[in-house]
Amino acid sequence: MTGGYHGGLERLLGGRRLSPVQRRIAHYLAENLDEAIFLSSVELAERAGVSQPSVTRFAMVLGFAGYPELRQALRPLVLGGPPEGPQETLLRGAIDSEIRNLTAVRERLAAFPLKELGAALAATEPLPVLGLRVSCGLATTLAYYARRIHPDVRLLTHGGSELVDGLHAAQRAGAEWVVAVVLPRYPSEAVQALGYAEKLGLRTAVITDKPGFPAEVVLDAPVGDRLVFDSHAAPLALAMALVEAMADAAPLRTQARLEEYERMTDETGTFLSGDPA
């Protein structure tokens, strides 16, 4: 969360992973540090739109006994002279962070088993794709594009018995793999589902942000945490690279299915032929 932060405030945050409420407080401090160093915890809570106990917990997360101690540490950052380093807007800082995340993925591409995994997923039929809660969006995107080149992709985005039924049905139909998207905050049900899938004999591949995630194959890409809620540019790029690897693994099938899809969309007028304007 570098946008608008003084260098000293960045050091206080120390790369800690903050909750959405705590990020609201951090964002307010970043944009209003000159004023915030004179506010009480109640006043800061009102300005940031959070509860007073949340301000206290925020201070304790940063290693202080309470908010008064945090305020004492913040005051020299303003009263002691001009801020260190260039001042960025919050959004510019968030975008810069995503650029770094994408660069990290680019530099590690050779380390990912994309070709081998793409071939395995292209060969398994059906292909279950799992994603719960916030991971549902990326899993849906992955499944949407995979369906253009794979004959049977089954999207699993609901938990409970429906998720268990979906894994069972895929395994009975001949599936050998399940690919999952599991991003923070990590749903416990998704982790349990992957363990259950392994008991069914399915091999597991996961797109996540942690290299040590419990799965046979892990494709990890950092998420953006500079805004109140995470952004997933790097995991999305990795997911699209995986679909590309699936397409490359079965080139004739890919070509045939894409041509069929184009004919269908042309015949049905699915998409506009020109600009929306």
Side-chain angles (χ1 to χ4, degrees), residues 99-112 220-222 234 237-238:
I99 292 171
R100 290 192 292 272
N101 290 343
L102 287 165
T103 300
V105 171
R106 182 187 64 188
E107 292 176 349
R108 295 183 56 219
L109 274 178
F112 292 124
D220 59 292
L238 199 49

Side-chain angles (χ1 to χ4, degrees), residues 226-273:
R226 306 291 180 171
L227 303 173
V228 172
F229 298 105
D230 290 340
S231 52
H232 302 144
L236 173 59
L238 199 49
M240 293 301 94
L242 180 58
V243 174
E244 186 78 9
M246 290 174 59
D248 290 343
L252 295 180
R253 185 180 73 183
T254 293
Q255 180 180 354
R257 290 186 63 85
L258 290 177
E259 289 178 353
E260 178 186 4
Y261 181 73
E262 288 301 316
R263 286 195 299 270
M264 181 273 291
T265 57
D266 287 343
E267 291 172 358
T268 58
T270 302
F271 304 114
L272 295 175
S273 57

Side-chain angles (χ1 to χ4, degrees), residues 69-116:
E69 291 77 9
L70 171 59
R71 184 174 56 190
Q72 281 298 113
L74 292 174
R75 283 181 173 174
L77 303 181
V78 176
L79 303 179
E84 301 175 18
Q87 295 300 297
E88 298 176 295
T89 65
L90 176 62
L91 289 177
R92 183 184 296 275
I95 293 171
D96 286 346
S97 176
E98 287 288 39
I99 292 171
R100 290 192 292 272
N101 290 343
L102 287 165
T103 300
V105 171
R106 182 187 64 188
E107 292 176 349
R108 295 183 56 219
L109 274 178
F112 292 124
L114 286 171
K115 182 177 181 180
E116 297 82 359

Side-chain angles (χ1 to χ4, degrees), residues 157-221:
T157 58
H158 300 287
S161 61
E162 187 174 342
L163 176 55
V164 173
D165 288 348
L167 290 172
H168 264 288
Q171 187 271 337
R172 287 196 301 270
E176 297 178 352
W177 284 83
V178 56
V179 59
V181 180
V182 188
L183 299 171
R185 302 170 63 185
Y186 316 103
S188 57
E189 193 170 15
V191 179
Q192 293 162 5
L194 287 171
Y196 186 68
E198 290 179 343
K199 289 183 179 179
L200 291 175
L202 295 171
R203 302 175 71 180
T204 57
V206 175
I207 296 174
T208 185
D209 70 323
K210 299 294 183 184
F213 200 90
E216 181 174 344
V217 178
V218 178
L219 304 179
D220 59 292

Side-chain angles (χ1 to χ4, degrees), residues 1-2 5 7-18 23 61-62 210 225-226:
M1 300 167 72
T2 60
Y5 281 27
L9 183 54
E10 291 180 349
R11 288 193 293 273
L12 286 177
L13 291 173
R16 292 177 174 84
R17 183 166 190 84
L18 303 177
R23 292 183 196 182
V61 164
L62 299 187
K210 299 294 183 184
D225 61 358
R226 306 291 180 171

